[in-house]
Structures are given as C-alpha cells and as structure tokens.
Amino acid sequence: GMRDVSVSYLELGEIEEALKQYENAKEYYVKSVEMRENLLHRAPSLHTKRNVSISCNRVGDMEKKLGRYEKAREYYAKGLELALEVLHERQTPFARRDVANAYSDMGLIEESLKHYETAREYFEKGLIECEKLNEIEPTDEVKSVSNWFKRAYERVDKLIAGMKQQEYLYRS
C-alpha cells in the first residue's frame, strides 16, 4: 500500500545518497514526504507524523549538501514543527530525542546562514531537551549529545562576541 511505497522512496533516496547523487536522493525524499503527508491527511497518527518529520529532515540534509541553505531550512523547520507536535502529544524519550535532533539541524543551518543569534537559541533549546532527557534516562549518549550542544553554543557565542567587537571597533 501507500506506506510501503513511501518506505521504498526513502530507501531509494538512501541508495542515491550513498552514491553521492544528492539531487536524485532529494527527489526521492521529496516523494516520500508527499506520500507520507498524504497518508497523514487520510489517516492521522503520531507514527505517520513522525515519519513525515523524518522525511522532511532527509530533504533538508540533501538541500544542505547541495548548498541550498534557505531551502534546507524550510524543510528542517517543517520537521521540527512536526517533531514538536509529536512531543506535545507524547512526552516519550524517543519524541524528545527527535526534537533535540531537529534543534541541532536548525542550529547548524542557521549557523551556515550566519544567523548566529538564532543558531545559539536553537542550540540552547537542544541543550534544554537533553537536560530533560538526562532526568528521565541518563545515558552516555545523552551526555555526549549534551556536550555537543554546549560546544555548538559556545562556538556561535564566540562568533557573536567577535562580531560585536568588530562593530565596536568600527564605530569608535
């Protein structure tokens, strides 16, 4: 049925991606987004919503690899929105991990677009999700993701401080 077709589009996308055929991979991932959105429309479920979110992130990854950051951001933002909806309905560690992943995608794409303040906000939100995860189930994985967010936050924080210093130097 529909579900199987959306899964095969995803798999075809993964094959193309492995072959570094990012444009082709993107086409397949877009098809999987469309199929899954269709399915979500006809038979709404959190599982399908999460799958749409995953497919959106895959398209975002390809757009990013192709250097189309604005387009990537659109798909990542859609993926984040859906992941947040799922988390709102079901506060599972699984759903929280998806949201943390989405925050990292958003933070990195904003950083690539040189929107450092926005990137920093996403990294901070990701860190907060990790702290919540850490309360539920402290694992080494959560700890290392937490550290990743801290480093990302500090990295853009330094860039922001550097830019403020430049502005100050130019003004005086």
Side-chain angles (χ1 to χ4, degrees):
M2 278 283 265
R3 197 200 70 80
D4 306 323
V5 178
S6 81
V7 169
S8 21
Y9 278 131
L10 203 70
E11 285 165 355
L12 288 166
E14 285 165 358
I15 292 166
E16 293 289 347
E17 185 178 348
L19 297 169
K20 300 198 173 8
Q21 303 294 316
Y22 302 130
E23 197 65 63
N24 294 347
K26 191 211 76 175
E27 294 304 319
Y28 284 123
Y29 290 149
V30 166
K31 283 200 173 90
S32 92
V33 169
E34 288 164 358
M35 306 279 310
R36 287 172 160 184
E37 277 180 333
N38 232 319
L39 188 62
L40 184 63
H41 194 71
R42 286 188 334 208
S45 79
L46 287 178
H47 177 72
T48 304
K49 192 175 276 193
R50 177 175 190 262
N51 282 340
V52 177
S53 174
I54 289 168
S55 292
C56 285
N57 293 342
R58 294 288 176 82
V59 179
D61 291 342
M62 294 310 98
E63 293 290 12
K64 187 179 177 180
K65 281 190 165 129
L66 292 160
R68 298 192 288 248
Y69 297 148
E70 293 286 352
K71 202 84 189 125
R73 182 175 58 177
E74 277 174 42
Y75 278 96
Y76 285 144
K78 195 169 172 183
L80 171 62
E81 190 184 327
L82 292 164
L84 283 167
E85 284 176 22
V86 172
L87 179 62
H88 186 73
E89 299 257 340
R90 271 206 205 127
Q91 323 254 303
T92 64
F94 218 54
R96 203 169 290 287
R97 203 171 288 124
D98 284 347
V99 168
N101 284 335
Y103 282 141
S104 78
D105 288 334
M106 286 300 291
L108 289 170
I109 203 70
E110 293 291 0
E111 185 180 354
S112 300
L113 286 161
K114 298 186 170 36
H115 302 158
Y116 301 126
E117 308 256 355
T118 313
R120 183 173 61 180
E121 282 170 31
Y122 282 120
F123 293 143
E124 188 175 15
K125 286 177 173 175
L127 193 55
I128 291 166
E129 292 306 323
C130 285
E131 281 162 6
K132 288 178 184 168
L133 268 173
N134 204 37
E135 286 165 23
I136 312 163
E137 46 161 21
T139 62
D140 289 340
E141 189 211 355
V142 173
K143 206 166 287 162
S144 85
V145 175
S146 231
N147 288 331
W148 183 91
F149 275 114
K150 278 179 196 146
R151 284 195 304 273
Y153 181 94
E154 283 158 14
R155 183 177 65 238
V156 292
D157 204 45
K158 281 197 185 97
L159 289 167
I160 293 165
M163 284 164 66
K164 288 196 170 134
Q165 202 173 358
Q166 288 298 137
E167 282 170 31
Y168 177 76
L169 292 173
Y170 284 127
R171 269 205 308 272
S172 45

